[in-house]
Amino acid sequence: MKWDWNAVGDFMPDFWRGLLVTLQALALGSLLSFTLGLVWTLLMRSPSRWVRWPVGVVTEFVRNTPLLVQLFFLFYVLPEWGLTFSALATGVFAIGLHYSTYTMQVYRAGIEAVPVGQWEAATALNLPRRRTWTAVILPQAIRRVVPALGNYVISMLKDTPMLMVITVLEMLGRARLFSQQHFQFTEPLTVIGVAFILVSYLASLLLRALERRLVR
């Protein structure tokens, strides 16, 4: 089969629009998952079981149901309850919520890896609980878990094509639409395959640089 460079040129405007949506979903979904994951972790350390139990139920439910099911539920069911959001906002929330239940475990491991002596030193200095967390525990814990969090960023990138099922035209959605309109499948799908590889590689480089910076 002959490679058609004209098809590639015709597809590129759609590709750039799809890439922008993919990067938006990835950046916002990552930010949401990291923030929510930390919130879940801190709530699970609450001394009150009335806090821990509901959080545990919610996070277990989210972690053990497919992301695809969650996307359909948020996009098609919530409007019946009067909660309507844009397709992209719904996709970002679904990805962020889903992966927050995994980053929660990463944060938990990082916090547990902080030496007991650090807790004892904070207690000896009579630091307030909030100060202990923000100045002593969390900086050390987050520094330890950056590589694991980075792995989930790559996983989120690879899951962004699922947003196509709720009408978000990210890279794969754009390629699919272009292919159906022009009956050209090889070129657009190859372009987005290469794009995913390049974006994943660049993201891994940035995360390694951040990891080296935090280790200093």
Side-chain angles (χ1 to χ4, degrees):
M1 181 176 180
K2 186 177 180 180
W3 180 266
D4 188 350
W5 286 107
N6 290 329
V8 175
D10 293 339
F11 173 63
M12 291 313 293
D14 289 334
F15 165 75
W16 292 118
R17 288 192 288 268
L19 176 62
L20 178 60
V21 172
T22 295
L23 294 178
Q24 285 179 325
L26 176 63
L28 296 175
S30 298
L31 180 61
L32 181 59
S33 71
F34 295 161
T35 304
L36 272 180
L38 183 57
V39 171
W40 300 143
T41 303
L42 296 179
L43 290 177
M44 287 298 290
R45 296 182 68 88
S46 170
S48 172
R49 66 175 181 174
W50 298 108
V51 174
R52 296 195 309 272
W53 185 80
V55 171
V57 170
V58 170
T59 54
E60 283 296 320
F61 176 80
V62 172
R63 185 165 54 245
N64 289 286
T65 53
L67 175 58
L68 191 60
V69 173
Q70 295 166 17
L71 283 167
F72 277 120
F73 181 87
L74 292 173
F75 190 68
Y76 293 107
V77 177
L78 288 188
E80 296 183 2
W81 298 349
L83 299 174
T84 303
F85 304 96
S86 69
L88 180 58
T90 302
V92 167
F93 180 73
I95 289 177
L97 177 63
H98 184 80
Y99 276 93
S100 70
T101 61
Y102 294 96
T103 58
M104 175 185 75
Q105 300 299 328
V106 173
Y107 285 125
R108 180 187 59 79
I111 291 171
E112 291 179 354
V114 175
V116 177
Q118 297 295 312
W119 296 90
E120 295 173 346
T123 302
L125 293 172
N126 199 29
L127 292 180
R129 183 175 178 82
R130 179 178 298 181
R131 181 68 175 168
T132 299
W133 278 103
T134 58
V136 180
I137 305 303
L138 289 181
Q140 296 183 62
I142 293 175
R143 187 179 298 117
R144 296 169 185 270
V145 302
V146 166
L149 292 177
N151 290 335
Y152 284 117
V153 172
I154 304 302
S155 295
M156 280 184 270
L157 172 64
K158 292 188 289 186
D159 276 346
T160 54
M162 287 192 186
L163 302 187
M164 180 177 59
V165 302
I166 58 170
T167 74
V168 176
L169 291 179
E170 40 64 64
M171 285 195 292
L172 182 59
R174 290 285 180 181
R176 180 173 177 266
L177 184 61
F178 180 89
S179 299
Q180 292 174 340
Q181 291 174 341
H182 298 83
F183 301 100
Q184 297 278 356
F185 293 89
T186 302
E187 291 81 6
L189 292 176
T190 301
V191 168
I192 67 164
V194 173
F196 271 109
I197 293 173
L198 292 177
V199 173
S200 297
Y201 180 68
L202 291 175
S204 66
L205 291 180
L206 290 174
L207 290 166
R208 289 174 192 167
L210 176 61
E211 181 184 356
R212 288 195 296 269
R213 185 177 182 85
L214 290 175
V215 168
R216 292 178 183 176

